[in-house]
Amino acid sequence: MKKFYLYIICIMIVSYFDMIYNLKSILLFTFFILSLPFFNDLRSSFRISFFKMDKIFTVYMLIFSLSFTVFFSLLPFLIFKDYDIGKIGNYTNYGVLKVLLVSPLLEELIFRGSLLSLLVKTESPKKAILLSSLGFSITHYLSSSSLFATFVLGIFLAYVYLKTESVFLCVIAHAFNNFLALVFSPFLISFLNIKETSYYILAFIILSSIVMLYSLFKINKQNKKLK
């Protein structure tokens, strides 16, 4: 547990300086490389299978990501009364590359490939998922809604990793989610022309939650075939 808290604190500090001084994730990547020797039994704690994937599993995983994005794009209007997702036009070329490739790759290696693998050595899978997801959400804190959304996303990605041991699948889901948040969410908000809470927003939220639950059910069912 001490390693967990130390790791999360270090990641938060490194992420803060990386963002403040616009170091283009160099500091975060350096920290990740330097932290690897501190994991006990590196080969078993850093389990990576980049190309292990099932097509049906992947399809339902992407369906979950889509419904997840719709749900958490509209939910803030009902509960948190905020919306803080930037449009793609506000990003530099590297900013887009970072959101769609660099961040998903680095963060999945850190939070799922190493941190989650470290936690399951001493904690139950459920506790390991919750703790790693909490760390993932804290390092992404922007608002009340983003804290909750990243926590849920972290739980899903941790579940995918523990069931498949595929960082590659986690990177795909993470990158797809970032793409949807960057492009699809602003389009959805603009399309619905949201100015105040209305019944059709609630309908979209209910529908997306149903799709999320259904996709999770299918993922769990399909995943049993993989074991």
Side-chain angles (χ1 to χ4, degrees), residues 129-149:
I129 287 175
L130 291 175
L131 287 173
S132 63
S133 301
L134 179 62
F136 179 68
S137 64
I138 290 174
T139 57
H140 285 76
Y141 179 76
L142 292 174
S143 63
S144 299
S145 57
S146 68
L147 185 67
F148 182 58

Side-chain angles (χ1 to χ4, degrees), residues 150-168:
T150 50
F151 178 69
V152 175
L153 179 63
I155 290 176
F156 175 69
L157 292 172
Y159 169 80
V160 169
Y161 179 71
L162 286 184
K163 290 295 185 179
T164 66
E165 295 187 3
S166 173
V167 169
F168 182 64

Side-chain angles (χ1 to χ4, degrees), residues 167-182:
V167 169
F168 182 64
L169 274 178
C170 294
V171 171
I172 289 177
H174 195 151
F176 185 60
N177 178 79
N178 285 4
F179 170 79
L180 292 172
L182 193 68

Side-chain angles (χ1 to χ4, degrees), residues 107-124:
E107 289 170 6
E108 290 314 306
L109 290 175
I110 291 173
F111 287 100
R112 259 60 68 176
S114 55
L115 179 59
L116 181 59
S117 294
L118 175 68
L119 285 169
V120 294
K121 282 176 165 288
T122 57
E123 308 294 339
S124 66

